[in-house]
Amino acid sequence: MATIGEIYLPADEFALYHTLEALDTVQFEVERMVAHEQGHLMPYVWASGVDREELEDALEEDSSVAECELLAEPEEDYLYRMDWVESIETLVHILTEEEGTILVAESTERGWFLRILFPDRESLSTTYDFCRENGLSIDVQRIYNIDDGRQGRFGLSADQEDTIAAAYEHGYYSVPRGTSLTELAEELGVSHQALSERLRRGHQRLVENTVVIGRDDVSEE
């Protein structure tokens, strides 16, 4: 039975640790992750919250990043294609040995939060045992079975969930709308841009994890 696990990995056992240490405000969110070859991952990573020049200087010094290419920079976000080569033993095992799929991977104050779709519960257990046997840390927060329903498939961060809930409560989704994006941003004490981004990404995850997952007729772009 397909299983979703929500786990935390410490920053110092994951890629981009140097950059996260050097830049307090930087935030990373993995758009897509591909196992390139044994020991290497090539993720597409969004970065925000920091000046591009400072970010790229830090990435240049980051030993976990072999290559880094800027693909897009809409507004104040930056999309990079990276080659990760160090501190990724857990992810390499998940992707290559257990055939797992990374649904969400984003940096947090605690380290990295990941939502992973495993082909079965045993694959998650094997990953946990692998980490313990190799001196790696893994904090399993929640486990869901896909067949139990949609509960474990929403994939929202706490901020995204709270923002969408607040938008609903203030009538943002009503017809006609009970509040504007600008008014909602002022109510929540965030910038218009930050609120727009959080809602957009939250909506994207809701669609992906409630509509797209499991559909054979939806092709990946």
Side-chain angles (χ1 to χ4, degrees):
M1 181 183 297
T3 298
I4 288 178
E6 295 184 353
I7 69 174
Y8 276 97
L9 299 176
D12 59 355
E13 293 182 14
F14 202 81
L16 300 174
Y17 175 59
H18 168 83
T19 304
L20 288 167
E21 282 283 287
L23 305 173
D24 293 339
T25 59
V26 69
Q27 293 180 315
F28 291 111
E29 181 177 349
V30 176
E31 179 80 13
R32 185 180 299 272
M33 191 174 296
V34 179
H36 179 57
E37 59 185 50
Q38 188 66 30
H40 285 248
L41 295 179
M42 296 192 69
Y44 292 77
V45 182
W46 285 101
S48 60
V50 69
D51 175 75
R52 176 185 164 187
E53 184 176 348
E54 289 183 298
L55 172 62
E56 295 186 351
D57 285 344
L59 290 172
E60 184 70 25
E61 299 296 323
D62 199 316
S63 62
S64 68
V65 182
E67 297 180 9
C68 183
E69 177 186 1
L70 179 67
L71 300 180
E73 48 180 325
E75 298 180 352
E76 296 181 0
D77 288 346
Y78 312 105
L79 177 63
Y80 291 92
R81 179 170 57 205
M82 300 182 182
D83 184 357
W84 289 353
V85 295
E86 289 187 2
S87 302
I88 53 171
E89 293 94 335
T90 303
L91 282 187
V92 169
H93 176 85
I94 290 169
L95 293 172
T96 61
E97 301 296 329
E98 305 303 334
E99 299 181 348
T101 300
I102 309 298
L103 303 177
V104 177
E106 59 187 14
S107 62
T108 72
E109 293 182 358
R110 294 179 51 190
W112 281 81
F113 169 78
L114 296 97
R115 279 181 93 246
I116 305 164
L117 175 63
F118 292 92
D120 48 48
R121 184 69 169 264
E122 183 179 355
S123 298
L124 173 57
S125 297
T126 302
T127 297
Y128 182 83
D129 291 340
F130 169 84
C131 292
R132 294 290 298 272
E133 292 167 2
N134 289 274
L136 301 171
S137 302
I138 181 171
D139 182 5
V140 180
Q141 296 284 300
R142 305 174 79 178
I143 300 173
Y144 307 97
N145 292 323
I146 290 295
D147 289 353
D148 289 341
R150 298 176 182 269
Q151 178 184 5
R153 302 172 64 182
F154 296 145
L156 298 174
S157 68
D159 284 343
Q160 290 166 345
E161 182 176 353
D162 291 343
T163 300
I164 290 174
Y168 180 86
E169 291 169 359
H170 285 79
Y172 180 73
Y173 300 112
S174 301
V175 180
R177 281 184 171 167
T179 188
S180 68
L181 197 64
T182 299
E183 291 170 338
L184 184 59
E186 292 177 354
E187 178 71 24
L188 297 179
V190 299
S191 69
H192 182 283
Q193 178 181 332
L195 178 61
S196 176
E197 281 290 309
R198 194 176 298 171
L199 284 174
R200 180 178 61 82
R201 291 184 177 177
H203 294 159
Q204 180 183 13
R205 287 185 179 173
L206 279 174
V207 171
E208 178 183 0
N209 292 317
T210 60
V211 177
V212 175
I213 289 178
R215 290 176 59 97
D216 295 330
D217 57 337
V218 178
S219 60
E220 293 185 1
E221 295 184 353

